[in-house]
Amino acid sequence: MSTQIILPRIMQVGEGASKEIPGVLASLGCKRPLIITDKMMVELGYASQIQTVLSNHMVFCDVFDDTVPEPTIGSIMAGVEMVRGGDYDAIIALGGGSPIDSAKAIAILGKHGGSMRDYKFPRIVNEAGLPIIAIPTTAGTGSEATKFTIITDEANDEKMLCVGVGFMPVAALVDYSLTLSLPPRITADTGIDALTHAMEAYVSQKANAYSDSQALAAMSLIAPNLRRAYQDGKDKAAREAMMLGSTLAGIGFSNASVALVHGMSRPIGAFFHVPHGLSNAMLLPSVTAFSISAAPERYADCARAMGVADANDNTDQANQKLLDELHALNDELQVPTPEQYGIDRDRFMSLLDEMASQALNSGSPNNNPRIPTHGEIVEIYKALWN
């Protein structure tokens, strides 16, 4: 059986890649881009750097900087209106996963109209929106190389998964130098997000030979370098490895799928506004423990790719080392429990059924090696408080 692989048309990878944007725009025949970003990217000067590089080539662009973490239907509408009222022929998505996800939604809605709810899964969005050039500034979501976006519906606190080639950027400029200013907390959260992408792509029931190669390579880059990047943000070698690993993990899961961690993570983010990478980190050890029995060899491969087990370890030994490593990583990167994060226990417990339903409805748990029941998801959520 063959597998369809979808990638950005252009990938520019390495230090200074973001400065190659004039040539990329020219190759796409685009002359009037809109930068979609957030206030932090403006404050750090990254947006003006892109504008300066482009103005030197007589390309002038506006900036929309009102994207928010964990984007919502409401938060993207001003950007949609800006696109509809302008004559833009491309979008430059600059920032972490939230600005890139926002840009993907804006590119589709700005061109085709309708409501974001019209585009949520199970609809597959193959229509092309405005071409997106993604410039990630975190080593985490891999959104620059995925056919997904996540937008929250404020009406019911549902994180809507939107899928299709229409959301795939046409170009990804993967420049690790843009991550050198990331604070430790964001480095940790986005790094564990990337590790989760790689692991879930590899153990997913939709894994294939291509996604396997990307996922294993991603784990081998991320696992040895995440602590280094967290402890010393100026460690260029660690930052470069994390950035490439994040992109490869994005390619891996975009061409396979995510699984139970992501299915359960989205409701925690939607109801309690926990950053996506952090809610993944909270769940990764316990979901891995739940799932290992259904794919022991696959999880052992993960342990070996991450460098925490070797060829001398049998499957059971490798899997125990994997679980030990995931717990140790959370401890060292100071990943809080839901209680330590400040989530109200009573409200959390009152929402267990709704969160489990949303997790199952996302479809992601069905890709897990061990497909959970509603009740099993509830029990995993409960165990986060023990």
Side-chain angles (χ1 to χ4, degrees):
M1 190 173 79
S2 67
T3 303
Q4 183 179 68
I5 306 300
I6 300 171
L7 298 167
R9 190 188 314 170
I10 299 167
M11 295 189 71
Q12 191 88 28
V13 181
E15 186 171 12
S18 59
K19 296 176 182 174
E20 302 297 327
I21 195 162
V24 171
L25 276 170
S27 73
L28 297 171
C30 296
K31 299 178 180 179
R32 177 79 173 128
L34 171 67
I35 297 175
I36 293 181
T37 188
D38 59 26
K39 296 283 194 287
M40 182 57 68
M41 292 299 102
V42 172
E43 288 175 20
L44 289 172
Y46 289 165
S48 62
Q49 285 177 27
I50 300 296
Q51 286 179 298
T52 299
V53 167
L54 287 173
S55 66
N56 290 337
H57 290 77
M58 301 307 291
V59 175
F60 303 97
C61 54
D62 299 325
V63 175
F64 174 78
D65 64 1
D66 284 334
T67 67
V68 300
E70 315 297 322
T72 65
I73 290 174
S75 76
I76 63 172
M77 286 316 297
V80 172
E81 293 305 319
M82 190 168 179
V83 166
R84 287 177 179 165
D87 57 348
Y88 307 108
D89 58 8
I91 286 176
I92 298 169
L94 173 69
S98 295
I100 296 176
D101 275 4
S102 298
K104 290 177 175 184
I106 291 167
I108 289 290
L109 288 177
K111 183 170 181 179
H112 297 291
S115 159
M116 203 65 226
R117 297 181 191 92
D118 300 333
Y119 296 94
K120 78 173 184 176
F121 185 80
R123 177 176 175 179
I124 304 299
V125 181
N126 291 321
E127 304 93 323
L130 287 178
I132 298 168
I133 300 162
I135 305 176
T137 59
T138 65
T141 68
S143 190
E144 69 277 4
T146 76
K147 59 186 178 188
F148 306 111
T149 188
I150 306 285
I151 305 294
T152 298
D153 183 348
E154 307 97 317
N156 58 2
D157 279 334
E158 177 191 2
K159 281 199 167 190
M160 298 184 296
L161 174 64
C162 304
V163 180
V165 68
F167 295 114
M168 176 65 76
V170 297
L173 311 188
V174 184
D175 186 346
Y176 76 86
S177 65
L178 300 181
T179 69
L180 295 173
S181 62
L182 284 179
R185 182 73 266 144
I186 295 177
T187 298
D189 295 348
T190 55
I192 296 180
D193 189 23
L195 181 62
T196 305
H197 291 153
M199 287 182 62
E200 292 210 299
Y202 191 73
V203 303
S204 166
Q205 294 197 35
K206 293 182 178 176
N208 55 75
Y210 182 87
S211 63
D212 283 353
S213 68
Q214 308 302 296
L216 289 170
M219 284 184 267
S220 72
L221 289 164
I222 295 165
N225 289 288
L226 179 48
R227 288 176 176 84
R228 284 176 55 187
Y230 174 74
Q231 290 159 2
D232 178 10
K234 301 301 181 186
D235 184 334
K236 285 191 171 185
R239 289 293 198 188
E240 184 171 21
M242 287 298 300
M243 195 66 160
L244 179 56
S246 170
T247 297
L248 293 179
I251 291 171
F253 87 80
S254 187
N255 290 287
S257 64
V258 287
L260 182 54
V261 175
H262 276 75
M264 292 183 63
S265 174
R266 292 185 198 109
I268 294 177
F271 284 111
F272 302 102
H273 309 293
V274 178
H276 173 67
L278 187 55
S279 54
N280 277 351
M282 291 175 178
L283 287 158
L284 184 58
S286 54
V287 170
T288 301
F290 170 83
S291 306
I292 276 180
S293 62
E297 296 292 344
R298 286 250 142 188
Y299 281 104
D301 288 344
C302 292
R304 295 184 184 106
M306 291 165 61
V308 298
D310 59 35
N312 296 320
D313 293 306
N314 65 32
T315 298
D316 288 343
Q317 290 168 330
N319 284 333
Q320 187 57 54
K321 288 185 175 182
L322 175 63
L323 289 173
D324 291 345
E325 166 65 3
L326 296 180
H327 285 291
L329 195 60
N330 276 8
D331 288 343
E332 291 179 44
L333 272 51
Q334 300 182 335
V335 174
T337 64
E339 183 176 26
Q340 290 166 340
Y341 187 77
I343 292 174
D344 179 77
R345 188 180 190 279
D346 289 342
R347 181 162 184 257
F348 189 89
M349 294 300 171
S350 73
L351 286 166
L352 288 176
D353 281 336
E354 176 64 21
M355 290 196 297
S357 294
Q358 285 195 11
L360 283 171
N361 291 340
S362 74
S364 299
N366 287 330
N367 305 321
N368 208 56
R370 179 181 172 188
I371 298 176
T373 64
H374 183 280
E376 285 170 332
I377 291 178
V378 167
E379 290 306 313
I380 295 171
Y381 277 136
K382 279 183 180 176
L384 296 180
W385 291 86
N386 295 338

Short mmCIF file of all heavy atoms in Angstrom, two decimals, residues 15 44 46 136-139 175-184 187 229 232-240 243:
data_model
loop_
_atom_site.label_atom_id
_atom_site.label_comp_id
_atom_site.label_asym_id
_atom_site.label_seq_id
_atom_site.Cartn_x
_atom_site.Cartn_y
_atom_site.Cartn_z
N GLU A 15 21.15 28.40 9.69
CA GLU A 15 21.33 29.76 10.20
C GLU A 15 21.20 30.78 9.06
O GLU A 15 21.80 30.63 7.99
CB GLU A 15 22.70 29.90 10.86
CG GLU A 15 22.91 31.25 11.54
CD GLU A 15 24.18 31.30 12.37
OE1 GLU A 15 25.01 30.38 12.25
OE2 GLU A 15 24.32 32.25 13.15
N LEU A 44 10.73 42.04 19.73
CA LEU A 44 12.08 41.50 19.57
C LEU A 44 12.76 41.99 18.29
O LEU A 44 13.95 41.77 18.10
CB LEU A 44 12.04 39.96 19.56
CG LEU A 44 11.71 39.29 20.90
CD1 LEU A 44 11.50 37.80 20.71
CD2 LEU A 44 12.84 39.54 21.91
N TYR A 46 12.01 41.01 15.23
CA TYR A 46 12.06 40.01 14.16
C TYR A 46 11.20 40.43 12.97
O TYR A 46 11.58 40.22 11.81
CB TYR A 46 11.61 38.64 14.67
CG TYR A 46 12.58 37.97 15.61
CD1 TYR A 46 12.19 36.88 16.38
CD2 TYR A 46 13.90 38.41 15.74
CE1 TYR A 46 13.07 36.25 17.26
CE2 TYR A 46 14.78 37.79 16.61
CZ TYR A 46 14.37 36.71 17.37
OH TYR A 46 15.23 36.09 18.23
N PRO A 136 9.35 29.70 11.52
CA PRO A 136 9.16 29.37 12.93
C PRO A 136 10.22 30.01 13.81
O PRO A 136 11.39 30.14 13.41
CB PRO A 136 9.28 27.85 12.96
CG PRO A 136 10.17 27.53 11.79
CD PRO A 136 9.84 28.56 10.74
N THR A 137 9.83 30.41 15.01
CA THR A 137 10.78 30.99 15.96
C THR A 137 10.86 30.17 17.25
O THR A 137 11.47 30.60 18.22
CB THR A 137 10.37 32.44 16.31
OG1 THR A 137 9.05 32.44 16.87
CG2 THR A 137 10.41 33.32 15.07
N THR A 138 10.20 29.01 17.25
CA THR A 138 10.36 28.05 18.35
C THR A 138 10.69 26.69 17.75
O THR A 138 10.32 26.40 16.60
CB THR A 138 9.09 27.91 19.21
OG1 THR A 138 8.04 27.34 18.40
CG2 THR A 138 8.65 29.23 19.79
N ALA A 139 11.38 25.86 18.52
CA ALA A 139 11.66 24.49 18.10
C ALA A 139 10.64 23.61 18.79
O ALA A 139 10.89 23.05 19.85
CB ALA A 139 13.08 24.09 18.48
N ASP A 175 15.16 28.64 10.57
CA ASP A 175 16.35 29.40 10.97
C ASP A 175 16.52 29.32 12.49
O ASP A 175 15.84 30.02 13.23
CB ASP A 175 16.17 30.85 10.51
CG ASP A 175 17.39 31.71 10.74
OD1 ASP A 175 18.31 31.29 11.47
OD2 ASP A 175 17.42 32.83 10.19
N TYR A 176 17.43 28.45 12.94
CA TYR A 176 17.56 28.25 14.39
C TYR A 176 18.03 29.49 15.12
O TYR A 176 17.80 29.64 16.33
CB TYR A 176 18.50 27.08 14.70
CG TYR A 176 19.96 27.38 14.53
CD1 TYR A 176 20.69 27.94 15.57
CD2 TYR A 176 20.63 27.11 13.34
CE1 TYR A 176 22.04 28.23 15.43
CE2 TYR A 176 21.96 27.39 13.19
CZ TYR A 176 22.67 27.94 14.23
OH TYR A 176 24.01 28.23 14.08
N SER A 177 18.65 30.43 14.43
CA SER A 177 19.14 31.64 15.11
C SER A 177 17.99 32.44 15.72
O SER A 177 18.20 33.21 16.67
CB SER A 177 19.97 32.50 14.16
OG SER A 177 19.18 33.02 13.11
N LEU A 178 16.78 32.25 15.20
CA LEU A 178 15.62 32.95 15.75
C LEU A 178 15.17 32.37 17.09
O LEU A 178 14.33 32.97 17.77
CB LEU A 178 14.45 32.90 14.75
CG LEU A 178 14.69 33.52 13.38
CD1 LEU A 178 13.44 33.41 12.51
CD2 LEU A 178 15.11 34.98 13.50
N THR A 179 15.72 31.22 17.49
CA THR A 179 15.34 30.60 18.77
C THR A 179 16.31 30.94 19.90
O THR A 179 16.07 30.56 21.05
CB THR A 179 15.26 29.06 18.65
OG1 THR A 179 16.58 28.52 18.47
CG2 THR A 179 14.37 28.64 17.48
N LEU A 180 17.39 31.64 19.60
CA LEU A 180 18.42 31.87 20.61
C LEU A 180 17.93 32.74 21.77
O LEU A 180 18.50 32.68 22.86
CB LEU A 180 19.66 32.51 19.97
CG LEU A 180 20.40 31.63 18.95
CD1 LEU A 180 21.51 32.42 18.26
CD2 LEU A 180 20.99 30.39 19.62
N SER A 181 16.87 33.50 21.55
CA SER A 181 16.36 34.38 22.61
C SER A 181 15.22 33.74 23.41
O SER A 181 14.68 34.37 24.32
CB SER A 181 15.86 35.69 22.00
OG SER A 181 14.80 35.45 21.10
N LEU A 182 14.84 32.50 23.08
CA LEU A 182 13.72 31.88 23.79
C LEU A 182 14.05 31.65 25.26
O LEU A 182 15.13 31.13 25.58
CB LEU A 182 13.38 30.52 23.17
CG LEU A 182 12.62 30.48 21.84
CD1 LEU A 182 12.44 29.03 21.41
CD2 LEU A 182 11.28 31.16 21.97
N PRO A 183 13.13 31.98 26.16
CA PRO A 183 13.37 31.70 27.58
C PRO A 183 13.27 30.20 27.87
O PRO A 183 12.69 29.45 27.08
CB PRO A 183 12.26 32.48 28.29
CG PRO A 183 11.19 32.63 27.27
CD PRO A 183 11.87 32.70 25.93
N PRO A 184 13.83 29.76 29.01
CA PRO A 184 13.85 28.33 29.33
C PRO A 184 12.47 27.66 29.32
O PRO A 184 12.33 26.54 28.84
CB PRO A 184 14.49 28.28 30.72
CG PRO A 184 15.35 29.50 30.78
CD PRO A 184 14.61 30.55 30.00
N THR A 187 11.34 27.09 25.83
CA THR A 187 12.24 26.08 25.27
C THR A 187 11.81 24.68 25.70
O THR A 187 11.74 23.75 24.88
CB THR A 187 13.68 26.34 25.71
OG1 THR A 187 14.10 27.62 25.22
CG2 THR A 187 14.63 25.27 25.19
N ALA A 229 19.65 22.88 25.50
CA ALA A 229 19.03 24.13 25.08
C ALA A 229 18.30 24.81 26.23
O ALA A 229 18.27 26.04 26.33
CB ALA A 229 18.07 23.87 23.91
N ASP A 232 21.15 26.25 28.59
CA ASP A 232 21.94 27.32 27.99
C ASP A 232 21.34 27.69 26.65
O ASP A 232 21.61 27.05 25.63
CB ASP A 232 23.40 26.88 27.82
CG ASP A 232 24.26 27.95 27.14
OD1 ASP A 232 23.77 29.09 26.97
OD2 ASP A 232 25.41 27.64 26.77
N GLY A 233 20.51 28.71 26.65
CA GLY A 233 19.80 29.10 25.44
C GLY A 233 20.69 29.57 24.31
O GLY A 233 20.27 29.63 23.16
N LYS A 234 21.95 29.89 24.62
CA LYS A 234 22.89 30.37 23.59
C LYS A 234 23.72 29.24 22.99
O LYS A 234 24.62 29.49 22.18
CB LYS A 234 23.82 31.43 24.18
CG LYS A 234 23.11 32.64 24.76
CD LYS A 234 22.26 33.37 23.73
CE LYS A 234 21.58 34.60 24.32
NZ LYS A 234 20.63 35.21 23.35
N ASP A 235 23.43 28.00 23.39
CA ASP A 235 24.13 26.83 22.86
C ASP A 235 23.67 26.61 21.42
O ASP A 235 22.64 25.99 21.17
CB ASP A 235 23.84 25.61 23.73
CG ASP A 235 24.60 24.37 23.32
OD1 ASP A 235 24.97 24.25 22.13
OD2 ASP A 235 24.83 23.49 24.19
N LYS A 236 24.45 27.12 20.47
CA LYS A 236 24.02 27.10 19.07
C LYS A 236 23.86 25.69 18.52
O LYS A 236 22.92 25.41 17.77
CB LYS A 236 25.00 27.89 18.20
CG LYS A 236 24.89 29.40 18.34
CD LYS A 236 25.69 30.09 17.25
CE LYS A 236 25.42 31.59 17.24
NZ LYS A 236 26.09 32.26 16.09
N ALA A 237 24.76 24.80 18.89
CA ALA A 237 24.68 23.43 18.38
C ALA A 237 23.39 22.76 18.87
O ALA A 237 22.71 22.06 18.10
CB ALA A 237 25.90 22.62 18.81
N ALA A 238 23.04 22.98 20.15
CA ALA A 238 21.82 22.39 20.69
C ALA A 238 20.59 23.02 20.04
O ALA A 238 19.62 22.33 19.69
CB ALA A 238 21.77 22.57 22.20
N ARG A 239 20.61 24.34 19.86
CA ARG A 239 19.48 25.03 19.23
C ARG A 239 19.29 24.56 17.78
O ARG A 239 18.16 24.36 17.33
CB ARG A 239 19.71 26.54 19.25
CG ARG A 239 19.61 27.19 20.62
CD ARG A 239 18.20 27.15 21.17
NE ARG A 239 18.01 28.12 22.25
CZ ARG A 239 16.92 28.18 23.01
NH1 ARG A 239 15.93 27.33 22.81
NH2 ARG A 239 16.81 29.08 23.96
N GLU A 240 20.39 24.38 17.07
CA GLU A 240 20.28 23.93 15.68
C GLU A 240 19.68 22.53 15.61
O GLU A 240 18.80 22.26 14.78
CB GLU A 240 21.66 23.95 15.01
CG GLU A 240 21.62 23.59 13.53
CD GLU A 240 22.94 23.82 12.83
OE1 GLU A 240 23.98 23.87 13.50
OE2 GLU A 240 22.92 23.95 11.59
N MET A 243 15.95 22.67 16.42
CA MET A 243 15.15 23.27 15.34
C MET A 243 14.93 22.27 14.21
O MET A 243 13.80 22.10 13.72
CB MET A 243 15.83 24.53 14.82
CG MET A 243 14.95 25.42 13.99
SD MET A 243 13.62 26.13 14.99
CE MET A 243 13.13 27.53 14.00
#
